Structures are given as C-alpha cells and as structure tokens.
Amino acid sequence: MALINNVKVVPDLEGWLLLDFDDHTRKLVNINPYMDGVLAKLKDQTFFAEVFVDEELQTVSWPGELDLDPDNLYENGIDVEMVKDLVQAVKNKDGFSNFIEKQTAY
C-alpha cells in the first residue's frame, strides 16, 4: 500500500500535485480527472490549495473529509525523475525516440 508523506500544489498547473511517497518516490499527479461529483469543489483553486496530508490515512485530503486513494495516486502519478529526463531531452534537443529509448531502463 502506498502512503503519502508530503504534498505540494504545483504552481501554474491547475489541478496538479507533487507527492512524496513513503518509498521515497516523488510523483506529479493530475487531479483534474477526479474533479466531479463530491470532488467538484476541487475545481476552485483556492480550495484546492488547502490540500494537506491526513496523518491518520496518510493520503491527500481537503477540508470536509475529502480524500483520495493513495494507491490510485501512486499508480497514476508520473515519476519526477522521468519528468526531469524529458525536460533534459527537450533542452538538449534530443529526438523523442531517443528519449524513449533511454527510458527502457525504468
């Protein structure tokens, strides 16, 4: 089971969080697909910014007992190291296929 130790709202990317998991991985997670029904409140970026880690559940939560499944967040998150590699590939003007070939080690 994945557990979350820390959460930060990603600046300039509405609906995205940076999560630190208990296995020392960091992942970017797009919360926008979850923002319907009861979680539609998360579309308000002021409210979204009130995110915190529920110490008991060790997952992301918002006031009003809104929380998300940490395993689902882990599974659907993008590993920060992979994002760094992609940014570096773009900066170096590596072709996309070269970038993908480098990722086969993951």
Side-chain angles (χ1 to χ4, degrees):
M1 177 174 184
L3 300 174
I4 299 171
N5 294 329
N6 193 34
V7 59
K8 292 182 183 175
V9 174
V10 179
D12 300 323
L13 284 177
E14 288 187 10
W16 284 78
L17 298 174
L18 175 62
L19 303 177
D20 293 326
F21 288 88
D22 64 334
D23 67 354
H24 304 290
T25 59
R26 298 184 93 194
K27 295 194 177 203
L28 290 168
V29 182
N30 180 4
I31 305 302
N32 289 293
Y34 307 109
M35 293 182 184
D36 58 3
V38 175
L39 298 177
K41 292 179 179 182
L42 300 179
K43 292 178 183 178
D44 175 349
Q45 289 303 293
T46 302
F47 183 75
F48 186 80
E50 294 182 33
V51 66
F52 63 95
V53 175
D54 181 300
E55 295 299 325
E56 184 178 332
L57 300 174
Q58 279 194 273
T59 192
V60 294
S61 296
W62 287 267
E65 298 183 12
L66 297 177
D67 55 67
L68 297 174
D69 175 42
D71 289 324
N72 189 19
L73 296 171
Y74 189 91
E75 186 175 312
N76 292 301
I78 304 167
D79 192 282
V80 169
E81 291 304 314
M82 185 167 285
V83 174
K84 287 179 184 178
D85 289 345
L86 178 58
V87 169
Q88 191 62 45
V90 171
K91 283 183 179 179
N92 292 338
K93 300 185 189 229
D94 286 351
F96 185 73
S97 61
N98 290 337
F99 167 74
I100 294 300
E101 287 176 13
K102 291 178 186 175
Q103 297 312 310
T104 58
Y106 287 100

